[in-house]
Amino acid sequence: MASVIDQCQVAPPPGSAAELTLPLTYFDHMCFNYLIGDHPRNAKDFYHFVPQLAEPKEERMHRGQISPSAAIQVTLFPNHGISIGFTNNHVAGDGATIVGFIRAWAILHKFGGHEQFFSDEFIPFYDRSVIKDPYGQGMFIWDEMKKYNPEMHDIVTLPDHKVRGTFTITRDDIGKLKNLILSRQQSTLTHVTSFTVTLLLMYGLA
């Protein structure tokens, strides 16, 4: 097993070499098309577009650590578009919170930053007083966590040997699925959303 003793960077002296930009060839496009296609792709090929949270820093005043709440990475695919990757610390927000942040960001950008188009539904709810703990479970869990010396950052293990595929559902397909669900005799629904029928199709229930 090898050990890294030292690392150094070697570069030409400033001004001794002219900057050079190489344009992409069709070989490169054959790759940025592999990722955006609908065919099955290896999931690990997408991990480069997901940012990593910075390591927490020691905070001397309060004798604790300061941990970053989120990281955003924008990857440019020339002549094809961009990819925006998000990683967030679950202490600051769960999945629903980060999705609400993305939607709010998109709306503000769409309307030039005018907050009158901003809805209160995108504002995260952090009032912890609504959670009651009559049996002191919070203190018990905290005492147990201190035994394992927890760190203030998420431990993310990206799975290997996974395949990612894309499936396109047209408006007509969604309409047919809605009619199919509503036409069933045992159905008591009067309205079915596109999201609902998509999930039913994914899990083979439609």
Side-chain angles (χ1 to χ4, degrees):
M1 183 175 180
S3 300
V4 178
I5 300 177
D6 192 12
Q7 291 182 340
C8 62
Q9 297 181 354
V10 179
S16 63
E19 294 186 1
L20 177 63
T21 300
L22 296 176
L24 296 177
T25 67
Y26 70 92
F27 294 109
D28 301 303
H29 291 294
M30 288 174 60
C31 293
F32 295 134
N33 291 335
Y34 167 76
L35 294 175
I36 66 175
D38 294 333
H39 56 279
R41 291 93 73 199
N42 197 320
K44 69 177 183 180
D45 294 334
F46 292 87
Y47 295 161
H48 302 287
F49 311 121
V50 180
Q52 299 294 322
L53 287 176
E55 291 295 326
K57 298 181 179 179
E58 295 295 332
E59 206 280 330
R60 296 182 179 179
M61 181 177 296
H62 298 92
R63 296 182 180 180
Q65 291 182 329
I66 298 178
S67 181
S69 59
I72 303 175
Q73 174 180 320
V74 179
T75 304
L76 172 65
F77 296 92
N79 302 321
H80 283 80
I82 62 173
S83 169
I84 303 178
F86 291 85
T87 300
N88 70 292
N89 193 315
H90 283 109
V91 174
D94 55 8
T97 303
I98 192 64
V99 170
F101 169 74
I102 295 172
R103 293 180 59 194
W105 184 16
I107 289 177
L108 289 175
H109 177 73
K110 179 179 180 180
F111 294 104
H114 298 293
E115 296 186 3
Q116 63 265 29
F117 299 101
F118 193 78
S119 175
D120 291 340
E121 67 177 298
F122 300 123
I123 300 177
F125 184 77
Y126 290 117
D127 185 5
R128 298 299 193 261
S129 65
V130 300
I131 301 177
K132 307 303 179 182
D133 186 16
Y135 301 105
Q137 292 296 314
M139 186 58 65
F140 171 78
I141 295 174
W142 175 245
D143 290 338
E144 289 296 315
M145 288 180 62
K146 288 191 294 185
K147 296 179 182 178
Y148 299 97
N149 190 23
E151 297 181 355
M152 288 187 59
H153 64 87
D154 293 342
I155 300 176
V156 180
T157 302
L158 299 177
D160 293 328
H161 310 296
K162 298 292 183 179
V163 176
R164 179 187 299 270
T166 306
F167 303 91
T168 303
I169 303 176
T170 65
R171 184 180 297 272
D172 291 338
D173 294 332
I174 292 178
K176 292 177 182 178
L177 289 172
K178 288 183 178 180
N179 293 332
L180 176 62
I181 298 300
L182 295 175
S183 64
R184 292 181 175 177
Q185 295 182 356
Q186 68 269 26
S187 176
T188 58
L189 300 175
T190 58
H191 176 70
V192 182
T193 65
S194 301
F195 180 73
T196 301
V197 297
T198 303
L199 290 182
L200 291 174
L201 181 63
M202 288 174 56
Y203 291 101
L205 301 177

